[in-house]
Amino acid sequence: METTIQKTDTQSPAPHVADSHDLIRVHGARVNNLKDVSVEIPKRRLTVFTGVSGSGKTSLVFGTIAAESQRLINETYSAFVQGFMPTLARPEVDVLEGLTTAILVDQQRMGADPRSTVGTATDANAMLRVLFSRLGRPYIGSPAAFAFNVPSVRASGVITVERGAKKTEKQTFTRTGGMCLRCEGRGTVSDIDLTQLYDDSKSIAEGAITIPGYKVDSWWTVGIFIESGFLDPDKPIRDYTGTELHDFLHREPTKVKVNGVNLTYEGLIPKIRKSFLSKDREAMQPHIRAFVDRAVTFTACPECGGSRLSEEARSSRIGGINIADACAMQISDLAAWVRGLDEPSVAPLLATLRQILDSFVEIGLGYLSLDRSSGTLSGGEAQRVKMIRHLGSSLTDTTYVFDEPTAGLHPHDIQRMNDLLLRLRDKGNTVLVVEHKPETIVIADHVVDLGPGAGTAGGAVCFQGTVEELRASDTVTGRHLDNRAALKEKVRTPAGKLEIRGATANNLRDVDVDIPLGVLVAVTGVAGSGKSSLIHGSIPAGSGVVSIDQGAIRGSRRSSPATYTGLLDPIRKAFAKANGVKPALFSANSEGACPACAGVGVIYTDLAMMAGVATPCEECEGKRFQASVLEYRLGGRDISEVLAMPVAEAEEFFGAGEARTPAAHRVLGRLADVGLGYLSLGQPLTTLSGGERQRLKLAAQMTEEGGVYVLDEPTAGLHLADVEQLLGLLDRLVDSGKSVIVVEHHQAVMAHADWIIDLGPGAGHDGGRIVFEGTPADLVAARSTLTGEHLAAYVGAPR
């Protein structure tokens, strides 16, 4: 008997309970300066987090939401696997609900390993290797034969197989790699100036070796040369025989016994290569870096011409192009070449490769080449390269977290970045963006504004809602969202000029330009047009130039604004003088350090396979100093209380009264000038944002001797309200007699400049030319370049 079931309920069905989880809920967040922050963020929407620098945006988005998502994902792995992962502590927050998998696309620069390139950092290089192994003629081997990270291997021997009757077979093994033998896949070779390593008129015992750290009484450096038995330590190096000189400079690692201890002796040059040249130059201490710059020159490898690839790998071609040629092409040209290949046997591979290369062009990186070393990319470029792998991803319902994705982008390119963010959202993802640029804030579905101030004056949610509601709000961001800097009515008169003639660095095309001195000069143009090549790569040496770029500040978790700027020295001396004791007592890295935590203030506990934890030191309660040191006072404060002061309070403290210290007051004044008045003197550098680190660098280098300051995007990480303060600082620098050259994309800085040098018209080989020189008003009136069009729109100039 047939049964028919009829639906009589005409109302719409109740929503499924699974569809109710459409919010990320954060309650009671207290990471860094957050003050019990509670927010609800809609999923599958684009949410922009705004607020002045230091207001807590990064602490909420990266330090709380993204950190907990990653920690929970790591906990799904076995304890064994977790042992190989970075340890993440649980953020200080009461409730976190509705999290999805977080993918961080931040501005951390890529590793500066010489074998890491734009191609290896994405899938593009791997796909090209497969393509050449299939279509390249002559055929030379598998994809590994085209890889500059893979050396060729040959081996032969005897193998015994025990299966039933024993059988001995002779085996040979070969693997063809693409690594250049001379430079080992680095593309450059180093030449060492021996006169910088030693003084040949002295003996080793007399201190002939002049390398930093190589002291005569050092057992591990000079001591092994003296005691090895290969050399006469009392004989001047210039009197060595050929054998002695070879043993001193080039001897292969050899086991020796010195005073009953087994040690390895090797020549000075291989020792230098291992200890200095294998490291990232930027990670070196300043005196070591100065030695390497003095003693070592790097030139393109003569064997491979800098391509990193063996002659065999370069011999295989597709239509006259080898893989080195392909990787050296500008990516926009490479994309056109790949589109011209029509081979059905590799059609899916070609389609995917075309998609990746087109993504580079779409994201504004078409001017790069795949063989560009990843360590040379700016923070903004590195962030966009990381985006490439996510654009074609099939994953949905994930949370993408971006840190100022517009950094380093010309206004012309910001629209393309906005389109990409919206595409990620429209695929069903939650997109969280920390941003200052109004062009990106206005496309948000939801805005969370933190503040009202920075540091201890921030850490609270001032506003949540739509962009229109933000405009109507009375928050700092709401008031400044539609502010526009006006063109100067009167510009300064130059006091001279800095001549650049025949500049050809990177993509520059024999550029001649006169940079006016004694004024504020803005160098503009789309990303990749040649701005940095012109300013950082072409200004003549010895021009009294102080360059403040976007390189990261290197330092340990002990480093702080006080140590980095040299502020701690006069503070220590003032404490020592007031109390009649040694200055070393007031250093957490020296005699005054708490013995329990070695002056760090926290105890790091490694829990082996589980996430390690950091707990405040119980001995000093996080103050970092011995109790006896804290009894000494200056102006009624002990050293730990002074290091806990914000810059603004410390400036007042050291400006008058018993604690008056002019040397410290000057440094604090510079820190306040660059907008860092809210930072604590002893705050670890590892907790600072990118914009804060750059402005700290500016404050530290403002005393450098030199009449020309070169700043690379000083507005990076600055809130709209802070940009006004920066413009005031630039004016003060110029009015004090300095010349200031700013490589910048922010229209407020362009409008405020006395002179603009605009490069273009495009990026890569489409740029490298001066397309405009003159005042901002002339640029707006002419509207002859992309920069001119966007600046005219920004200042509201009539057409």
Side-chain angles (χ1 to χ4, degrees):
M1 181 179 165
E2 203 173 283
T3 305
T4 304
I5 299 176
Q6 292 185 335
K7 185 177 177 183
T8 56
D9 186 0
T10 56
Q11 294 181 356
S12 59
H16 195 287
V17 67
D19 296 331
S20 63
H21 302 285
D22 54 359
L23 292 172
I24 296 175
R25 293 183 178 86
V26 182
H27 291 290
R30 295 177 297 279
V31 173
N32 296 331
N33 68 328
L34 297 180
K35 299 172 180 173
D36 271 323
V37 163
S38 296
V39 290
E40 293 190 342
I41 302 161
K43 286 186 183 176
R44 294 174 288 281
R45 296 291 184 273
L46 172 60
T47 300
V48 174
F49 294 79
T50 60
V52 297
S53 301
S55 59
K57 305 181 298 296
T58 302
S59 298
L60 177 59
V61 180
F62 285 87
T64 306
I65 298 171
E68 180 65 355
S69 173
Q70 290 203 312
R71 188 185 74 84
L72 292 173
I73 290 167
N74 286 2
E75 285 192 350
T76 65
Y77 299 107
S78 67
F80 174 76
V81 173
Q82 286 184 50
F84 296 98
M85 293 179 161
T87 54
L88 300 169
R90 187 184 188 282
E92 201 172 342
V93 60
D94 294 334
V95 178
L96 262 177
E97 293 178 343
L99 292 179
T100 65
T101 303
I103 296 173
L104 275 64
V105 191
D106 58 21
Q107 287 190 38
Q108 289 295 320
R109 294 196 174 207
M110 294 185 173
D113 187 290
R115 293 198 189 95
S116 175
T117 65
V118 170
T120 59
T122 59
D123 293 331
N125 212 286
M127 291 185 179
L128 270 181
R129 294 199 297 266
V130 176
L131 186 67
F132 273 87
S133 73
R134 300 279 181 85
L135 303 184
R137 293 293 176 267
Y139 174 79
I140 62 167
S142 70
F146 297 92
F148 54 76
N149 287 328
V150 179
S152 294
V153 177
R154 291 178 181 83
S156 62
V158 174
I159 181 172
T160 302
V161 181
E162 296 188 3
R163 186 189 300 154
K166 273 189 184 179
K167 189 178 179 185
T168 302
E169 296 177 3
K170 193 167 184 181
Q171 296 270 331
T172 60
F173 170 75
T174 60
R175 181 183 68 184
T176 304
M179 179 184 286
C180 169
L181 290 176
R182 174 75 184 275
C183 65
E184 297 184 345
R186 289 183 171 87
T188 58
V189 290
S190 55
D191 189 19
I192 297 177
D193 181 358
L194 297 182
T195 62
Q196 298 295 333
L197 304 187
Y198 58 85
D199 178 353
D200 68 355
S201 66
K202 295 180 180 178
S203 68
I204 293 176
E206 292 173 328
I209 302 177
T210 56
I211 301 165
Y214 277 63
K215 297 176 182 173
V216 175
D217 58 354
S218 171
W219 180 254
W220 301 104
T221 54
V222 178
I224 194 169
F225 285 96
I226 292 174
E227 302 289 344
S228 66
F230 296 120
L231 309 168
D232 180 350
D234 300 310
K235 183 178 181 181
I237 292 174
R238 64 170 54 153
D239 296 335
Y240 279 6
T241 64
T243 303
E244 285 176 317
L245 195 60
H246 176 271
D247 285 342
F248 175 53
L249 292 177
H250 303 289
R251 190 178 180 97
E252 302 79 17
T254 308
K255 293 290 182 188
V256 294
K257 184 167 277 194
V258 178
N259 294 339
V261 180
N262 289 321
L263 297 174
T264 300
Y265 174 93
E266 64 182 332
L268 190 62
I269 286 178
K271 208 176 177 80
I272 291 293
R273 290 191 189 282
K274 285 179 186 173
S275 58
F276 293 136
L277 303 190
S278 62
K279 294 177 181 173
D280 172 15
R281 178 186 172 279
E282 292 303 316
M284 296 174 180
Q285 293 174 290
H287 68 290
I288 301 290
R289 190 185 312 150
F291 161 72
V292 170
D293 291 344
R294 198 170 60 241
V296 185
T297 55
F298 293 93
T299 54
C301 173
E303 291 284 324
C304 65
S307 70
R308 304 179 170 91
L309 290 157
S310 66
E311 186 178 354
E312 196 174 15
R314 288 178 278 126
S315 69
S316 183
R317 297 174 180 268
I318 301 174
I321 300 290
N322 65 27
I323 191 166
D325 299 331
C327 289
M329 283 184 192
Q330 185 166 306
I331 288 174
S332 55
D333 295 340
L334 180 60
W337 179 74
V338 171
R339 272 194 295 276
L341 299 177
D342 184 18
E343 178 55 54
S345 65
V346 288
L349 175 66
L350 286 171
T352 308
L353 181 56
R354 279 195 292 265
Q355 183 183 0
I356 289 177
L357 297 175
D358 288 342
S359 294
F360 272 103
V361 177
E362 186 181 6
I363 211 166
L365 294 177
Y367 60 88
L368 295 179
S369 59
L370 294 183
D371 65 359
R372 168 89 172 259
S373 177
S374 60
T376 65
L377 300 179
S378 70
E381 286 171 333
Q383 184 178 37
R384 279 173 275 149
V385 166
K386 293 173 196 172
M387 278 186 77
I388 299 293
R389 68 185 64 172
H390 303 304
L391 293 176
S393 171
S394 301
L395 290 173
T396 61
D397 254 332
T398 55
T399 298
Y400 285 95
V401 185
F402 291 92
D403 184 10
E404 283 193 73
T406 61
L409 283 182
H410 188 272
H412 175 68
D413 297 317
I414 289 178
Q415 184 56 51
R416 286 196 290 191
M417 176 59 70
N418 286 349
D419 292 341
L420 293 169
L421 295 174
L422 293 171
R423 256 176 55 193
L424 284 173
R425 177 203 66 184
D426 294 344
K427 281 173 61 178
N429 297 303
T430 304
V431 182
L432 309 181
V433 181
V434 173
E435 188 54 84
H436 292 294
K437 293 277 177 68
E439 297 95 324
T440 299
I441 295 173
V442 297
I443 68 164
D445 301 307
H446 188 72
V447 179
V448 178
D449 191 29
L450 284 101
T456 54
V461 175
C462 301
F463 168 84
Q464 290 185 72
T466 65
V467 175
E468 289 308 315
E469 290 168 342
L470 174 66
R471 279 195 172 98
S473 71
D474 194 33
T475 66
V476 176
T477 306
R479 290 196 299 271
H480 285 82
L481 191 59
D482 295 316
N483 277 12
R484 296 292 182 266
L487 291 172
K488 277 184 175 176
E489 291 183 12
K490 187 178 179 184
V491 296
R492 298 179 181 91
T493 303
K497 62 185 180 182
L498 186 63
E499 294 185 358
I500 294 178
R501 295 290 179 265
T504 55
N506 299 325
N507 66 330
L508 295 179
R509 302 190 176 193
D510 205 22
V511 169
D512 295 337
V513 65
D514 292 332
I515 300 176
L517 297 177
V519 298
L520 176 58
V521 179
V523 180
T524 60
V526 297
S529 59
K531 302 183 298 299
S532 295
S533 300
L534 179 67
I535 300 305
H536 294 300
S538 305
I539 287 183
S543 305
V545 175
V546 178
S547 182
I548 303 169
D549 60 18
Q550 290 191 18
I553 293 174
R554 303 287 178 176
S556 68
R557 54 191 173 217
R558 292 174 178 272
S559 303
S560 66
T563 59
Y564 181 76
T565 58
L567 171 64
L568 201 55
D569 289 334
I571 290 177
R572 281 199 301 253
K573 287 172 184 171
F575 265 95
K577 186 177 179 182
N579 293 280
V581 292
K582 291 189 297 184
L585 282 176
F586 303 99
S587 169
N589 298 331
S590 188
E591 292 181 28
C594 165
C597 63
V600 180
V602 293
I603 303 291
Y604 289 90
T605 308
D606 184 2
L607 300 178
M609 296 301 179
M610 295 165 62
V613 292
T615 52
C617 173
E618 293 181 5
E619 187 77 23
C620 65
E621 297 178 342
K623 294 179 179 177
R624 304 174 64 186
F625 293 90
Q626 298 174 22
S628 58
V629 173
L630 299 180
E631 292 175 7
Y632 299 117
R633 295 184 172 267
L634 176 69
R637 304 285 187 99
D638 65 40
I639 183 68
S640 70
E641 289 171 334
V642 167
L643 291 178
M645 284 182 182
V647 166
E649 184 185 338
E651 186 181 12
E652 191 178 321
F653 179 74
F654 287 107
E658 184 196 340
R660 185 175 178 274
T661 311
H665 189 258
R666 281 194 296 273
V667 178
L668 289 162
R670 294 200 301 271
L671 286 168
D673 276 348
V674 298
L676 295 178
Y678 59 89
L679 281 189
S680 299
L681 304 189
Q683 186 172 336
L685 289 188
T686 50
T687 65
L688 303 188
S689 69
E692 287 168 339
R693 288 194 299 267
Q694 190 180 16
R695 279 173 284 140
L696 182 62
K697 225 190 243 190
L698 174 59
Q701 295 187 335
M702 275 168 66
T703 54
E704 295 276 338
E705 290 298 321
V708 182
Y709 280 74
V710 176
L711 309 182
D712 195 351
E713 280 195 80
T715 61
L718 280 185
H719 186 267
L720 298 164
D722 297 326
V723 171
E724 294 175 7
Q725 186 174 354
L726 174 74
L727 294 176
L729 171 64
L730 297 180
D731 279 341
R732 287 196 297 279
L733 282 173
V734 175
D735 294 340
S736 70
K738 305 286 186 186
S739 300
V740 179
I741 303 168
V742 184
V743 178
E744 190 54 85
H745 291 295
H746 203 296
Q747 296 102 316
V749 178
M750 297 178 198
H752 198 73
D754 299 305
W755 192 258
I756 287 183
I757 299 171
D758 195 24
L759 282 95
H765 60 51
D766 297 323
R769 294 190 290 269
I770 304 288
V771 292
F772 176 84
E773 293 178 78
T775 65
D778 291 341
L779 179 61
V780 166
R783 284 186 172 89
S784 57
T785 68
L786 282 172
T787 305
E789 289 174 14
H790 284 276
L791 184 57
Y794 174 84
V795 298
R799 292 200 69 84

